[in-house]
């Protein structure tokens, strides 16, 4: 067994999900609108009390938790998926498994030699081709190192992402 590699240092050339700030803002706006509407309706109809106000706040907080997307970033050799309470960093240059289940087209699961697992929404990869290319290049490096033995899901996903990206480029350019 090889000695463990040192953890990668933060890289200035890290790629981030470009759509995350807008999606996070939309989640905040939706939960804020729900809170405001619920408080106004409750105050007008029944008279606002502390338990009802706390219920409205809890409901809007729950909506925020449900709508807030995970923040995804990739640097050479690592992928970080930062949820609301948990941050997972997978060493993409030492992957042991890339799983894209055939029955669900929305999630990609990555596992590294340390056993760390992270899941990425496929829409994030489709919206950020550079992020996908970084993950794909590191996955191929893992395959060359011999840590990623079975890469059928990677090849299938790669074909899917490249086809969707080409379709989007053709649509935007007016050719599709």
């Amino acid at each position: 067994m090889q000695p463990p590699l040192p953890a990668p240092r933060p890289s200035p050339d890290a790629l981030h999900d470009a759509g995350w700030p807008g999606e996070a803002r939309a989640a905040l706006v939706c939960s804020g609108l729900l809170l405001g509407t619920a408080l106004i309706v409750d105050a007008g109809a029944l008279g606002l009390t502390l338990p009802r106000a706390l219920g409205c706040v809890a409901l809007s907080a729950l909506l925020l938790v449900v709508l807030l997307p995970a923040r995804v970033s990739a640097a050479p050799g690592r992928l970080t998926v930062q949820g609301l309470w948990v941050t997972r960093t997978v060493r993409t240059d030492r992957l042991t498994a890339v799983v894209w289940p055939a029955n669900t087209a929305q999630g990609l699961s990555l596992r590294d030699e340390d056993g760390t697992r992270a899941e990425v929404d496929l829409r994030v990869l489709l919206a950020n081709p550079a992020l996908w290319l970084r993950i794909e290049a590191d996955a191929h490096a893992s395959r060359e190192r011999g840590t990623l033995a079975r890469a059928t899901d990677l090849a299938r996903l790669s074909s899917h992402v490249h086809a969707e990206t080409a379709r989007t480029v053709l649509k935007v350019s007016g050719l599709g």
Side-chain angles (χ1 to χ4, degrees), residues 32-59:
L33 285 174
L34 175 67
L35 177 61
T37 304
L39 289 174
I40 289 170
V41 167
D42 197 32
L46 303 170
L48 191 61
T49 63
L50 182 61
R52 287 192 196 121
L54 290 176
C56 293
V57 169
L59 186 62

Side-chain angles (χ1 to χ4, degrees), residues 67-158:
L67 292 180
L68 191 66
R71 189 173 199 161
V72 179
S73 63
R78 68 178 170 85
L79 173 79
T80 303
V81 179
Q82 183 178 4
L84 196 55
W85 292 288
V86 177
T87 299
R88 297 181 191 262
T89 300
V90 174
R91 294 289 307 263
T92 52
D93 57 349
R94 299 179 358 187
L95 290 174
T96 57
V98 175
V99 179
W100 184 44
N103 58 354
T104 63
Q106 297 304 318
L108 171 67
S109 178
L110 305 168
R111 184 181 306 269
D112 65 11
E113 286 181 327
D114 300 329
T116 307
R117 188 175 68 98
E119 293 185 15
V120 181
D121 191 336
L122 185 59
R123 292 174 294 194
V124 171
L125 301 178
L126 291 173
N128 299 282
L131 193 63
W132 163 248
L133 291 174
R134 167 92 30 98
I135 294 169
E136 184 182 31
D138 285 345
H140 286 298
S142 294
R143 185 162 182 163
E144 289 173 5
R145 287 184 69 217
T147 59
L148 183 60
R150 199 183 112 226
T152 55
D153 285 348
L154 177 66
R156 191 168 51 87
L157 180 63
S158 180

Side-chain angles (χ1 to χ4, degrees), residues 1-71:
M1 179 152 178
Q2 297 176 346
L5 297 173
R9 294 183 304 181
S11 175
D13 60 340
L15 300 171
H16 301 278
D17 176 11
W20 186 85
E23 290 180 20
R25 194 170 21 259
L28 284 168
V29 167
C30 285
S31 64
L33 285 174
L34 175 67
L35 177 61
T37 304
L39 289 174
I40 289 170
V41 167
D42 197 32
L46 303 170
L48 191 61
T49 63
L50 182 61
R52 287 192 196 121
L54 290 176
C56 293
V57 169
L59 186 62
S60 101
L62 179 64
L63 181 66
L64 179 63
V65 167
V66 169
L67 292 180
L68 191 66
R71 189 173 199 161

